């Protein structure tokens, strides 16, 4: 396979769907942002893209901004019941 085969295929595909400005980096950023939204930890994000610094991986955590209300509710439930097993699965466990 020639060195630019994948890139040329990508260029043709993005042109077909009218996204001429879309880059491979955009796809990478979108993937990491979605991973952060699913609850990936900073360490998870670093490993997925091979980041050696937390600063690079932190860029994707904007996806979880605004979760304060959900987290506060879960903490209130924990305080009310005193039982971590009663917290929602997506907050206490990673799959």
């Amino acid at each position: 396979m020639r060195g630019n085969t994948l890139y040329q295929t990508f260029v043709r595909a993005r042109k077909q769907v009218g996204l001429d400005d879309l880059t491979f980096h955009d796809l990478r950023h979108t993937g990491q942002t979605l991973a952060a939204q699913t609850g990936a930890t900073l360490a998870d994000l670093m490993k997925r893209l091979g980041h050696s610094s937390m600063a690079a991986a932190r860029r994707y955590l904007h996806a979880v901004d605004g979760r304060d209300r959900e987290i506060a509710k879960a903490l209130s439930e924990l305080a009310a019941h005193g039982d971590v097993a009663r917290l929602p699965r997506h907050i206490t466990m990673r799959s």
Side-chain angles (χ1 to χ4, degrees):
M1 183 174 357
R2 293 176 58 201
N4 68 347
T5 300
L6 181 60
Y7 178 74
Q8 291 304 318
T9 302
F10 175 72
V11 169
R12 284 192 301 276
R14 73 180 185 193
K15 186 173 184 170
Q16 278 186 327
V17 296
L19 296 173
D20 294 332
D21 295 333
L22 185 70
T23 67
F24 266 89
H25 186 266
D26 294 333
L27 297 177
R28 178 180 166 102
H29 182 79
T30 299
Q32 277 298 84
T33 300
L34 292 172
Q37 287 176 326
T38 66
T41 65
L42 190 57
D44 295 332
L45 297 173
M46 289 175 65
K47 185 174 181 181
R48 285 176 54 85
L49 290 186
H51 291 144
S52 58
S53 74
M54 287 192 287
R58 271 194 210 106
R59 290 182 194 128
Y60 305 100
L61 292 179
H62 65 82
V64 296
D65 287 348
R67 289 194 57 224
D68 291 339
R69 183 172 288 135
E70 182 181 347
I71 293 166
K73 181 181 175 191
L75 289 171
S76 293
E77 286 191 28
L78 174 61
H81 301 290
D83 183 2
V84 73
R86 297 190 73 162
L87 286 175
R89 179 179 171 82
H90 70 277
I91 290 176
T92 59
M93 300 174 67
R94 303 279 183 235
S95 42

